[in-house]
Amino acid sequence: MKRLYKLLFTLTLCLGLFVAVSVNAQAKTISSVSAVNSNGKITVSGTAEEGTLACAVFVYDSTGSTLLDMETCEVNADNSFRYQMSKTYDKGTYVVKVADYDGGSYKSTTVTVTEATAAATTTVKSPKTSEMTPWHLVVAAMLLLGVAPILRRRCH
């Protein structure tokens, strides 16, 4: 009977953790976006929904079908972002799309580069992103602790 309770407890714990993990990630929306050109450098700025940590910035050709560049940028505490792309672009029109780093729909705008000058390469520090947060490590540890007694009994 004790063994049945441990098994039920472990299964309930696993089910609860599965539900908790599956609702953890939620994509936020980008509220506004604008882009300007300065000497072939595209600077993107805008606002995002509260709780957004980082944005993915995509630069496409004038048709919006060929991806030319993608970088990520940090969203500030006031939900605004401003980021200068590291690449220098040739003369032309570009479509800039911005989305939450976790996915979701994007906002887009166009920018025209009228003059491009050769600029020195600058190093841009992207925000840290991680597939696993410490919360996930706690979940994994709890699962191992829940399964360990069952495995110990079967091995002995």
Side-chain angles (χ1 to χ4, degrees), residues 32-36 43-47 81-83 98:
S32 66
V33 64
S34 63
V36 294
T43 302
V44 182
S45 59
T47 57
F81 59 91
R82 182 174 176 81
Y83 184 75
V98 180

Side-chain angles (χ1 to χ4, degrees), residues 49-63:
E49 182 181 353
E50 186 175 342
T52 307
L53 301 176
C55 293
V57 181
F58 304 91
V59 179
Y60 290 84
D61 65 356
S62 61
T63 64

Side-chain angles (χ1 to χ4, degrees), residues 109-122:
T109 188
T110 58
V111 61
T112 302
V113 175
T114 54
E115 57 186 67
T117 59
T121 304
T122 57

Side-chain angles (χ1 to χ4, degrees), residues 40-146:
K41 291 285 192 176
I42 296 175
T43 302
V44 182
S45 59
T47 57
E49 182 181 353
E50 186 175 342
T52 307
L53 301 176
C55 293
V57 181
F58 304 91
V59 179
Y60 290 84
D61 65 356
S62 61
T63 64
S65 59
T66 303
L67 179 64
L68 303 174
D69 198 10
M70 182 199 102
E71 294 182 25
T72 60
C73 70
E74 180 180 17
V75 176
N76 301 319
D78 65 352
N79 301 320
S80 67
F81 59 91
R82 182 174 176 81
Y83 184 75
Q84 183 179 58
M85 301 298 285
S86 57
K87 181 179 175 182
T88 302
Y89 296 89
D90 294 329
K91 291 181 183 180
T93 301
Y94 300 91
V95 176
V96 178
K97 298 179 181 182
V98 180
D100 178 14
Y101 185 82
D102 286 334
S105 59
Y106 59 84
K107 284 279 190 185
S108 64
T109 188
T110 58
V111 61
T112 302
V113 175
T114 54
E115 57 186 67
T117 59
T121 304
T122 57
T123 303
V124 179
K125 184 178 178 184
S126 296
K128 286 186 175 181
T129 55
S130 174
E131 294 297 322
M132 287 192 65
T133 60
W135 189 84
H136 289 95
L137 296 175
V138 171
V139 170
M142 289 175 61
L143 280 172
L144 289 174
L145 289 174

